Amino acid sequence: MADSSFDIVSKVERQEVDNALNQAAKEISQRYDFKNTDASISWSGEKILMQANGEERVKAILDIFETKLVKRGISLKSLDAGEPQLSGKEYKIFASIEEGISQDNAKKVAKIIRDEGPKGVKAQVQGDELRVTSKSRDDLQAVQALLKGKDLDFAIQFVNYR
């Protein structure tokens, strides 16, 4: 019998991020506390730019955006937001969406699987993802449960379950 496998990836659906950004922009344009403050949120290349005329307001924009991301099922671990910076008369926050598992993080996950997972489960790094194989599907499910229980500092998803 062939080995069963699945891949561990860290991907974010760009359309869902776009939808969350548009919802946040709409809420900012309609909220009373953002009237006449030049508050906005938009794409700036690959980064997301939030700007307002006060530090507290720009942090509030970030909070609204995070709320919209969570409602759309996107982990906040994939959002990398900087600190508010004063630029002229406005405060700005640049945020980026992190995708892919770095080599260091992939090695950490492989070590967790090797040390704490069931025997006979193998994990190998393939680019920015991790392939986990085993003869037993039950062992693969145990690995998924193990990783869901761990507090990793990056978002992971399980795909290509065979």
Short mmCIF file of all heavy atoms in Angstrom, two decimals, residues 21-80:
data_model
loop_
_atom_site.label_atom_id
_atom_site.label_comp_id
_atom_site.label_asym_id
_atom_site.label_seq_id
_atom_site.Cartn_x
_atom_site.Cartn_y
_atom_site.Cartn_z
N LEU A 21 -10.04 44.36 3.14
CA LEU A 21 -9.56 45.74 3.00
C LEU A 21 -10.68 46.65 2.52
O LEU A 21 -10.88 47.75 3.05
CB LEU A 21 -8.39 45.78 2.02
CG LEU A 21 -7.70 47.13 1.90
CD1 LEU A 21 -6.21 46.96 2.10
CD2 LEU A 21 -7.97 47.76 0.57
N ASN A 22 -11.46 46.18 1.54
CA ASN A 22 -12.57 46.99 1.03
C ASN A 22 -13.64 47.21 2.10
O ASN A 22 -14.21 48.30 2.21
CB ASN A 22 -13.18 46.33 -0.21
CG ASN A 22 -12.24 46.39 -1.40
OD1 ASN A 22 -11.36 47.25 -1.47
ND2 ASN A 22 -12.39 45.46 -2.32
N GLN A 23 -13.93 46.18 2.90
CA GLN A 23 -14.92 46.33 3.98
C GLN A 23 -14.43 47.33 5.02
O GLN A 23 -15.20 48.15 5.51
CB GLN A 23 -15.17 44.98 4.66
CG GLN A 23 -16.00 44.04 3.84
CD GLN A 23 -16.19 42.71 4.55
OE1 GLN A 23 -15.42 42.34 5.43
NE2 GLN A 23 -17.23 41.98 4.16
N ALA A 24 -13.13 47.25 5.34
CA ALA A 24 -12.56 48.19 6.32
C ALA A 24 -12.63 49.62 5.78
O ALA A 24 -12.98 50.56 6.51
CB ALA A 24 -11.12 47.81 6.65
N ALA A 25 -12.31 49.81 4.49
CA ALA A 25 -12.35 51.14 3.89
C ALA A 25 -13.78 51.70 3.93
O ALA A 25 -13.98 52.88 4.22
CB ALA A 25 -11.85 51.08 2.45
N LYS A 26 -14.75 50.84 3.67
CA LYS A 26 -16.14 51.28 3.70
C LYS A 26 -16.56 51.69 5.12
O LYS A 26 -17.20 52.72 5.30
CB LYS A 26 -17.05 50.17 3.18
CG LYS A 26 -18.49 50.59 3.06
CD LYS A 26 -19.32 49.51 2.40
CE LYS A 26 -20.76 49.98 2.27
NZ LYS A 26 -21.61 48.97 1.67
N GLU A 27 -16.16 50.88 6.10
CA GLU A 27 -16.51 51.21 7.48
C GLU A 27 -15.85 52.52 7.91
O GLU A 27 -16.47 53.35 8.58
CB GLU A 27 -16.09 50.07 8.43
CG GLU A 27 -16.48 50.35 9.87
CD GLU A 27 -16.23 49.18 10.80
OE1 GLU A 27 -16.35 48.03 10.36
OE2 GLU A 27 -15.92 49.44 11.97
N ILE A 28 -14.58 52.72 7.52
CA ILE A 28 -13.86 53.95 7.88
C ILE A 28 -14.56 55.17 7.26
O ILE A 28 -14.69 56.22 7.90
CB ILE A 28 -12.39 53.86 7.44
CG1 ILE A 28 -11.66 52.84 8.30
CG2 ILE A 28 -11.70 55.21 7.51
CD1 ILE A 28 -10.35 52.37 7.73
N SER A 29 -15.02 55.02 6.01
CA SER A 29 -15.66 56.16 5.35
C SER A 29 -17.02 56.49 5.97
O SER A 29 -17.49 57.63 5.86
CB SER A 29 -15.84 55.87 3.85
OG SER A 29 -16.83 54.88 3.65
N GLN A 30 -17.64 55.52 6.65
CA GLN A 30 -18.98 55.75 7.19
C GLN A 30 -18.99 56.09 8.68
O GLN A 30 -19.98 56.63 9.17
CB GLN A 30 -19.85 54.51 6.97
CG GLN A 30 -20.14 54.28 5.50
CD GLN A 30 -20.91 52.99 5.26
OE1 GLN A 30 -21.00 52.15 6.15
NE2 GLN A 30 -21.44 52.84 4.06
N ARG A 31 -17.91 55.77 9.39
CA ARG A 31 -17.93 55.99 10.84
C ARG A 31 -17.80 57.45 11.20
O ARG A 31 -17.02 58.19 10.61
CB ARG A 31 -16.82 55.18 11.52
CG ARG A 31 -17.29 53.78 11.82
CD ARG A 31 -16.36 52.90 12.55
NE ARG A 31 -15.54 53.48 13.59
CZ ARG A 31 -14.74 52.75 14.35
NH1 ARG A 31 -14.67 51.45 14.19
NH2 ARG A 31 -13.99 53.33 15.26
N TYR A 32 -18.56 57.85 12.22
CA TYR A 32 -18.60 59.25 12.65
C TYR A 32 -17.24 59.72 13.20
O TYR A 32 -16.83 60.85 12.96
CB TYR A 32 -19.69 59.43 13.72
CG TYR A 32 -19.82 60.84 14.18
CD1 TYR A 32 -20.45 61.79 13.38
CD2 TYR A 32 -19.29 61.25 15.40
CE1 TYR A 32 -20.57 63.10 13.79
CE2 TYR A 32 -19.40 62.56 15.83
CZ TYR A 32 -20.05 63.47 15.01
OH TYR A 32 -20.15 64.78 15.43
N ASP A 33 -16.55 58.84 13.95
CA ASP A 33 -15.28 59.27 14.55
C ASP A 33 -14.15 59.44 13.53
O ASP A 33 -13.09 59.94 13.86
CB ASP A 33 -14.86 58.32 15.68
CG ASP A 33 -14.75 56.88 15.24
OD1 ASP A 33 -15.38 56.52 14.22
OD2 ASP A 33 -14.04 56.11 15.90
N PHE A 34 -14.38 59.03 12.27
CA PHE A 34 -13.39 59.23 11.22
C PHE A 34 -13.77 60.35 10.25
O PHE A 34 -13.09 60.56 9.25
CB PHE A 34 -13.16 57.93 10.43
CG PHE A 34 -12.38 56.89 11.19
CD1 PHE A 34 -12.97 55.69 11.55
CD2 PHE A 34 -11.05 57.11 11.54
CE1 PHE A 34 -12.25 54.74 12.25
CE2 PHE A 34 -10.34 56.16 12.23
CZ PHE A 34 -10.93 54.97 12.60
N LYS A 35 -14.86 61.07 10.54
CA LYS A 35 -15.27 62.17 9.66
C LYS A 35 -14.22 63.29 9.67
O LYS A 35 -13.70 63.62 10.73
CB LYS A 35 -16.62 62.74 10.11
CG LYS A 35 -17.79 61.82 9.88
CD LYS A 35 -18.26 61.88 8.45
CE LYS A 35 -19.54 61.10 8.28
NZ LYS A 35 -19.43 60.04 7.31
N ASN A 36 -13.90 63.81 8.49
CA ASN A 36 -12.96 64.93 8.32
C ASN A 36 -11.58 64.67 8.92
O ASN A 36 -10.94 65.58 9.43
CB ASN A 36 -13.54 66.22 8.93
CG ASN A 36 -14.87 66.56 8.29
OD1 ASN A 36 -15.08 66.35 7.09
ND2 ASN A 36 -15.79 67.06 9.11
N THR A 37 -11.12 63.42 8.87
CA THR A 37 -9.79 63.10 9.43
C THR A 37 -8.83 62.60 8.36
O THR A 37 -7.70 62.28 8.68
CB THR A 37 -9.89 62.02 10.51
OG1 THR A 37 -10.40 60.83 9.92
CG2 THR A 37 -10.75 62.45 11.67
N ASP A 38 -9.25 62.52 7.12
CA ASP A 38 -8.43 61.98 6.02
C ASP A 38 -7.93 60.57 6.33
O ASP A 38 -6.81 60.21 5.97
CB ASP A 38 -7.23 62.90 5.71
CG ASP A 38 -7.70 64.26 5.22
OD1 ASP A 38 -8.76 64.32 4.57
OD2 ASP A 38 -7.00 65.25 5.48
N ALA A 39 -8.73 59.78 7.03
CA ALA A 39 -8.35 58.40 7.35
C ALA A 39 -8.60 57.51 6.13
O ALA A 39 -9.62 57.64 5.46
CB ALA A 39 -9.16 57.90 8.54
N SER A 40 -7.63 56.63 5.85
CA SER A 40 -7.81 55.73 4.71
C SER A 40 -7.00 54.45 4.88
O SER A 40 -6.05 54.40 5.67
CB SER A 40 -7.40 56.43 3.41
OG SER A 40 -6.01 56.66 3.42
N ILE A 41 -7.39 53.44 4.11
CA ILE A 41 -6.65 52.18 4.04
C ILE A 41 -6.67 51.76 2.58
O ILE A 41 -7.71 51.83 1.92
CB ILE A 41 -7.26 51.10 4.96
CG1 ILE A 41 -6.46 49.80 4.88
CG2 ILE A 41 -8.73 50.86 4.64
CD1 ILE A 41 -6.85 48.78 5.93
N SER A 42 -5.51 51.38 2.05
CA SER A 42 -5.44 51.01 0.64
C SER A 42 -4.20 50.18 0.36
O SER A 42 -3.28 50.10 1.19
CB SER A 42 -5.42 52.27 -0.24
OG SER A 42 -4.27 53.03 0.07
N TRP A 43 -4.16 49.56 -0.81
CA TRP A 43 -2.98 48.84 -1.27
C TRP A 43 -1.94 49.86 -1.73
O TRP A 43 -2.27 50.84 -2.37
CB TRP A 43 -3.30 47.92 -2.44
CG TRP A 43 -4.04 46.68 -2.05
CD1 TRP A 43 -5.36 46.44 -2.23
CD2 TRP A 43 -3.51 45.52 -1.42
NE1 TRP A 43 -5.70 45.21 -1.75
CE2 TRP A 43 -4.58 44.62 -1.24
CE3 TRP A 43 -2.24 45.16 -0.96
CZ2 TRP A 43 -4.40 43.37 -0.64
CZ3 TRP A 43 -2.08 43.93 -0.37
CH2 TRP A 43 -3.15 43.04 -0.21
N SER A 44 -0.70 49.61 -1.40
CA SER A 44 0.42 50.42 -1.88
C SER A 44 1.46 49.43 -2.39
O SER A 44 2.34 48.99 -1.64
CB SER A 44 0.97 51.28 -0.74
OG SER A 44 2.13 51.94 -1.16
N GLY A 45 1.31 49.00 -3.63
CA GLY A 45 2.15 47.94 -4.16
C GLY A 45 1.75 46.62 -3.53
O GLY A 45 0.58 46.25 -3.56
N GLU A 46 2.69 45.93 -2.90
CA GLU A 46 2.38 44.67 -2.21
C GLU A 46 2.05 44.89 -0.74
O GLU A 46 1.69 43.96 -0.05
CB GLU A 46 3.58 43.70 -2.33
CG GLU A 46 3.69 43.03 -3.68
CD GLU A 46 2.51 42.14 -4.00
OE1 GLU A 46 2.18 41.25 -3.18
OE2 GLU A 46 1.91 42.32 -5.07
N LYS A 47 2.19 46.11 -0.27
CA LYS A 47 1.91 46.41 1.13
C LYS A 47 0.56 47.10 1.26
O LYS A 47 0.01 47.61 0.30
CB LYS A 47 3.00 47.30 1.71
CG LYS A 47 4.35 46.62 1.82
CD LYS A 47 5.30 47.47 2.64
CE LYS A 47 6.64 46.80 2.81
NZ LYS A 47 6.66 45.76 3.80
N ILE A 48 0.05 47.11 2.49
CA ILE A 48 -1.20 47.78 2.80
C ILE A 48 -0.85 49.04 3.58
O ILE A 48 -0.10 48.98 4.56
CB ILE A 48 -2.12 46.86 3.63
CG1 ILE A 48 -2.46 45.62 2.81
CG2 ILE A 48 -3.37 47.61 4.07
CD1 ILE A 48 -2.96 44.47 3.63
N LEU A 49 -1.36 50.18 3.12
CA LEU A 49 -1.06 51.47 3.74
C LEU A 49 -2.29 51.97 4.49
O LEU A 49 -3.37 52.08 3.92
CB LEU A 49 -0.65 52.48 2.67
CG LEU A 49 -0.52 53.93 3.11
CD1 LEU A 49 0.61 54.09 4.11
CD2 LEU A 49 -0.28 54.82 1.91
N MET A 50 -2.10 52.25 5.79
CA MET A 50 -3.15 52.85 6.61
C MET A 50 -2.65 54.22 7.04
O MET A 50 -1.53 54.33 7.52
CB MET A 50 -3.42 51.98 7.83
CG MET A 50 -4.04 50.64 7.49
SD MET A 50 -3.89 49.46 8.82
CE MET A 50 -2.51 48.51 8.26
N GLN A 51 -3.48 55.23 6.87
CA GLN A 51 -3.05 56.57 7.27
C GLN A 51 -4.20 57.37 7.85
O GLN A 51 -5.35 57.19 7.46
CB GLN A 51 -2.40 57.31 6.11
CG GLN A 51 -3.24 57.45 4.87
CD GLN A 51 -2.42 58.00 3.71
OE1 GLN A 51 -1.20 58.00 3.74
NE2 GLN A 51 -3.12 58.48 2.69
N ALA A 52 -3.86 58.23 8.83
CA ALA A 52 -4.82 59.11 9.48
C ALA A 52 -4.05 60.26 10.10
O ALA A 52 -2.82 60.23 10.16
CB ALA A 52 -5.62 58.35 10.54
N ASN A 53 -4.79 61.26 10.62
CA ASN A 53 -4.11 62.44 11.15
C ASN A 53 -3.75 62.32 12.63
O ASN A 53 -3.30 63.27 13.23
CB ASN A 53 -4.95 63.70 10.91
CG ASN A 53 -6.28 63.65 11.61
OD1 ASN A 53 -6.59 62.67 12.29
ND2 ASN A 53 -7.07 64.69 11.45
N GLY A 54 -3.92 61.15 13.22
CA GLY A 54 -3.54 60.93 14.62
C GLY A 54 -3.09 59.50 14.84
O GLY A 54 -3.53 58.58 14.15
N GLU A 55 -2.19 59.31 15.81
CA GLU A 55 -1.67 57.97 16.07
C GLU A 55 -2.77 57.01 16.53
O GLU A 55 -2.83 55.86 16.11
CB GLU A 55 -0.56 58.05 17.12
CG GLU A 55 0.15 56.73 17.33
CD GLU A 55 1.35 56.83 18.26
OE1 GLU A 55 1.69 57.94 18.71
OE2 GLU A 55 1.93 55.77 18.54
N GLU A 56 -3.67 57.49 17.39
CA GLU A 56 -4.75 56.64 17.89
C GLU A 56 -5.70 56.25 16.76
O GLU A 56 -6.19 55.13 16.71
CB GLU A 56 -5.52 57.35 19.01
CG GLU A 56 -4.69 57.61 20.24
CD GLU A 56 -4.04 56.35 20.79
OE1 GLU A 56 -4.73 55.32 20.90
OE2 GLU A 56 -2.84 56.39 21.09
N ARG A 57 -5.95 57.18 15.84
CA ARG A 57 -6.86 56.89 14.72
C ARG A 57 -6.26 55.85 13.79
O ARG A 57 -6.97 54.97 13.29
CB ARG A 57 -7.19 58.17 13.96
CG ARG A 57 -8.18 59.02 14.71
CD ARG A 57 -8.96 59.89 13.76
NE ARG A 57 -10.01 60.59 14.51
CZ ARG A 57 -9.92 61.84 14.90
NH1 ARG A 57 -8.85 62.56 14.62
NH2 ARG A 57 -10.90 62.40 15.57
N VAL A 58 -4.97 55.94 13.51
CA VAL A 58 -4.36 54.97 12.60
C VAL A 58 -4.31 53.58 13.26
O VAL A 58 -4.48 52.56 12.60
CB VAL A 58 -2.96 55.46 12.11
CG1 VAL A 58 -1.88 55.23 13.13
CG2 VAL A 58 -2.58 54.80 10.80
N LYS A 59 -4.17 53.55 14.59
CA LYS A 59 -4.23 52.25 15.30
C LYS A 59 -5.66 51.70 15.25
O LYS A 59 -5.85 50.48 15.17
CB LYS A 59 -3.78 52.42 16.75
CG LYS A 59 -2.27 52.56 16.88
CD LYS A 59 -1.87 52.67 18.34
CE LYS A 59 -0.36 52.77 18.48
NZ LYS A 59 0.05 52.95 19.88
N ALA A 60 -6.65 52.58 15.29
CA ALA A 60 -8.05 52.15 15.18
C ALA A 60 -8.32 51.56 13.79
O ALA A 60 -9.07 50.58 13.66
CB ALA A 60 -8.98 53.31 15.47
N ILE A 61 -7.71 52.15 12.76
CA ILE A 61 -7.87 51.61 11.40
C ILE A 61 -7.28 50.20 11.34
O ILE A 61 -7.89 49.28 10.78
CB ILE A 61 -7.18 52.53 10.36
CG1 ILE A 61 -7.91 53.87 10.27
CG2 ILE A 61 -7.14 51.86 8.99
CD1 ILE A 61 -7.19 54.91 9.43
N LEU A 62 -6.11 50.01 11.94
CA LEU A 62 -5.49 48.68 11.98
C LEU A 62 -6.39 47.69 12.70
O LEU A 62 -6.58 46.55 12.25
CB LEU A 62 -4.11 48.75 12.66
CG LEU A 62 -3.37 47.43 12.83
CD1 LEU A 62 -3.08 46.78 11.50
CD2 LEU A 62 -2.09 47.63 13.62
N ASP A 63 -7.01 48.12 13.79
CA ASP A 63 -7.91 47.26 14.55
C ASP A 63 -9.12 46.86 13.71
O ASP A 63 -9.54 45.69 13.71
CB ASP A 63 -8.35 47.97 15.83
CG ASP A 63 -9.14 47.06 16.74
OD1 ASP A 63 -8.68 45.93 16.99
OD2 ASP A 63 -10.22 47.48 17.20
N ILE A 64 -9.70 47.81 12.98
CA ILE A 64 -10.84 47.51 12.10
C ILE A 64 -10.42 46.49 11.04
O ILE A 64 -11.14 45.51 10.79
CB ILE A 64 -11.36 48.80 11.43
CG1 ILE A 64 -11.99 49.72 12.46
CG2 ILE A 64 -12.35 48.48 10.31
CD1 ILE A 64 -12.28 51.12 11.95
N PHE A 65 -9.25 46.70 10.42
CA PHE A 65 -8.76 45.79 9.38
C PHE A 65 -8.54 44.39 9.94
O PHE A 65 -8.91 43.39 9.32
CB PHE A 65 -7.48 46.35 8.76
CG PHE A 65 -6.95 45.53 7.63
CD1 PHE A 65 -7.74 45.20 6.54
CD2 PHE A 65 -5.63 45.08 7.64
CE1 PHE A 65 -7.25 44.44 5.49
CE2 PHE A 65 -5.14 44.33 6.60
CZ PHE A 65 -5.94 44.00 5.52
N GLU A 66 -7.94 44.29 11.13
CA GLU A 66 -7.72 42.98 11.76
C GLU A 66 -9.05 42.27 12.02
O GLU A 66 -9.17 41.07 11.81
CB GLU A 66 -6.93 43.14 13.06
CG GLU A 66 -5.48 43.47 12.85
CD GLU A 66 -4.73 43.73 14.15
OE1 GLU A 66 -5.39 43.95 15.20
OE2 GLU A 66 -3.49 43.72 14.11
N THR A 67 -10.05 43.02 12.46
CA THR A 67 -11.37 42.44 12.72
C THR A 67 -11.96 41.87 11.42
O THR A 67 -12.51 40.76 11.42
CB THR A 67 -12.32 43.51 13.29
OG1 THR A 67 -11.73 44.07 14.46
CG2 THR A 67 -13.68 42.93 13.61
N LYS A 68 -11.83 42.61 10.33
CA LYS A 68 -12.35 42.15 9.05
C LYS A 68 -11.60 40.90 8.56
O LYS A 68 -12.21 40.00 7.98
CB LYS A 68 -12.26 43.25 7.98
CG LYS A 68 -13.03 44.51 8.32
CD LYS A 68 -14.50 44.27 8.49
CE LYS A 68 -15.23 45.55 8.82
NZ LYS A 68 -16.60 45.34 9.20
N LEU A 69 -10.29 40.85 8.78
CA LEU A 69 -9.50 39.66 8.39
C LEU A 69 -9.98 38.42 9.16
O LEU A 69 -10.16 37.35 8.57
CB LEU A 69 -8.00 39.88 8.64
CG LEU A 69 -7.27 40.80 7.69
CD1 LEU A 69 -5.84 41.01 8.17
CD2 LEU A 69 -7.27 40.27 6.27
N VAL A 70 -10.19 38.58 10.46
CA VAL A 70 -10.63 37.45 11.28
C VAL A 70 -12.00 36.96 10.82
O VAL A 70 -12.23 35.75 10.71
CB VAL A 70 -10.65 37.84 12.78
CG1 VAL A 70 -11.36 36.79 13.61
CG2 VAL A 70 -9.23 38.04 13.28
N LYS A 71 -12.91 37.89 10.51
CA LYS A 71 -14.24 37.50 10.05
C LYS A 71 -14.17 36.74 8.73
O LYS A 71 -15.04 35.93 8.43
CB LYS A 71 -15.14 38.73 9.88
CG LYS A 71 -15.67 39.26 11.19
CD LYS A 71 -16.63 40.39 10.98
CE LYS A 71 -17.16 40.91 12.30
NZ LYS A 71 -18.02 42.08 12.14
N ARG A 72 -13.13 36.98 7.94
CA ARG A 72 -12.97 36.30 6.65
C ARG A 72 -12.12 35.04 6.76
O ARG A 72 -11.76 34.44 5.77
CB ARG A 72 -12.37 37.26 5.63
CG ARG A 72 -13.31 38.39 5.32
CD ARG A 72 -13.13 38.85 3.91
NE ARG A 72 -14.37 39.39 3.38
CZ ARG A 72 -15.26 38.70 2.68
NH1 ARG A 72 -15.10 37.43 2.45
NH2 ARG A 72 -16.33 39.27 2.21
N GLY A 73 -11.76 34.66 7.99
CA GLY A 73 -11.03 33.41 8.20
C GLY A 73 -9.55 33.48 7.90
O GLY A 73 -8.92 32.46 7.63
N ILE A 74 -8.96 34.66 7.96
CA ILE A 74 -7.53 34.81 7.72
C ILE A 74 -6.83 35.02 9.07
O ILE A 74 -7.21 35.87 9.85
CB ILE A 74 -7.24 36.01 6.79
CG1 ILE A 74 -7.89 35.76 5.43
CG2 ILE A 74 -5.74 36.24 6.63
CD1 ILE A 74 -7.87 36.94 4.51
N SER A 75 -5.83 34.20 9.34
CA SER A 75 -5.11 34.27 10.60
C SER A 75 -4.32 35.57 10.71
O SER A 75 -3.67 36.00 9.75
CB SER A 75 -4.14 33.09 10.72
OG SER A 75 -3.33 33.25 11.85
N LEU A 76 -4.36 36.19 11.88
CA LEU A 76 -3.61 37.43 12.09
C LEU A 76 -2.10 37.17 12.15
O LEU A 76 -1.32 38.10 12.08
CB LEU A 76 -4.08 38.13 13.37
CG LEU A 76 -5.49 38.70 13.34
CD1 LEU A 76 -5.82 39.39 14.64
CD2 LEU A 76 -5.66 39.65 12.17
N LYS A 77 -1.70 35.89 12.26
CA LYS A 77 -0.28 35.57 12.25
C LYS A 77 0.35 35.85 10.89
O LYS A 77 1.55 36.01 10.78
CB LYS A 77 -0.07 34.10 12.61
CG LYS A 77 -0.40 33.78 14.05
CD LYS A 77 -0.22 32.32 14.34
CE LYS A 77 -0.58 32.01 15.78
NZ LYS A 77 -0.48 30.58 16.06
N SER A 78 -0.49 35.91 9.85
CA SER A 78 0.05 36.19 8.52
C SER A 78 0.10 37.70 8.22
O SER A 78 0.62 38.09 7.20
CB SER A 78 -0.78 35.47 7.45
OG SER A 78 -2.11 35.91 7.50
N LEU A 79 -0.42 38.51 9.14
CA LEU A 79 -0.37 39.97 8.96
C LEU A 79 0.83 40.52 9.72
O LEU A 79 0.95 40.31 10.93
CB LEU A 79 -1.66 40.62 9.47
CG LEU A 79 -1.71 42.15 9.38
CD1 LEU A 79 -1.85 42.58 7.92
CD2 LEU A 79 -2.86 42.70 10.19
N ASP A 80 1.71 41.20 9.02
CA ASP A 80 2.90 41.80 9.63
C ASP A 80 2.75 43.32 9.55
O ASP A 80 3.05 43.92 8.53
CB ASP A 80 4.16 41.33 8.91
CG ASP A 80 5.42 41.89 9.52
OD1 ASP A 80 5.38 42.25 10.71
OD2 ASP A 80 6.44 41.95 8.82
#
